[in-house]
Amino acid sequence: MKKLALTIANKNIAFKVFMPFVEDGAAFVPTEEVCGLGEAITLTINMPELQKEITCPGAVVWVSPAGAHTKQGVGVQFQGKEGDQMKQALETYIVGMKDEGKKTFTL
């Protein structure tokens, strides 16, 4: 199983990587690592501003290859109870930002 890590330095980055439209939530991880759809991933997200680090299992549900209209990377769907914690932490952190019309790394 591949391991990916993502540091979310601030709310703006959290908004750009969070994928709330994916069931159970997901995060876009900028990476040059080649991953296939459905591939099992262990994802660690570090949120220094909140002094929080969460590791959870996940699966690749989005692939943006090199040369795509946005950053190269993969979207990892959260799984398990740790995934629930990760989704809740991100939702709470970015509350209120959806109305600001900011672009994300995926849409």
Side-chain angles (χ1 to χ4, degrees):
M1 182 178 310
K2 287 184 183 169
K3 294 180 180 183
L4 295 176
L6 176 64
T7 296
I8 298 176
N10 56 53
K11 286 185 178 188
N12 190 43
I13 297 297
F15 182 83
K16 288 183 177 195
V17 301
F18 186 47
M19 301 171 72
F21 54 87
V22 174
E23 185 176 346
D24 299 324
F28 181 80
V29 182
T31 182
E32 293 180 6
E33 183 84 31
V34 176
C35 302
L37 288 174
E39 186 170 347
I41 300 289
T42 298
L43 176 62
T44 299
I45 291 185
N46 183 1
M47 301 170 76
E49 200 170 81
L50 298 180
Q51 299 178 347
K52 190 174 279 204
E53 182 174 286
I54 303 170
T55 299
C56 79
V60 175
V61 294
W62 184 285
V63 176
S64 290
H69 70 283
T70 187
K71 286 189 173 284
Q72 178 179 353
V74 296
V76 179
Q77 182 182 35
F78 307 142
Q79 297 177 338
K81 68 178 183 174
E82 297 90 351
D84 292 340
Q85 293 171 358
M86 196 172 289
K87 179 181 179 188
Q88 183 178 21
L90 284 167
E91 285 176 337
T92 301
Y93 192 42
I94 66 168
V95 73
M97 289 189 71
K98 293 180 182 170
D99 298 329
E100 295 179 15
K102 295 180 184 279
K103 290 192 173 194
T104 69
F105 289 147
T106 54
L107 297 176

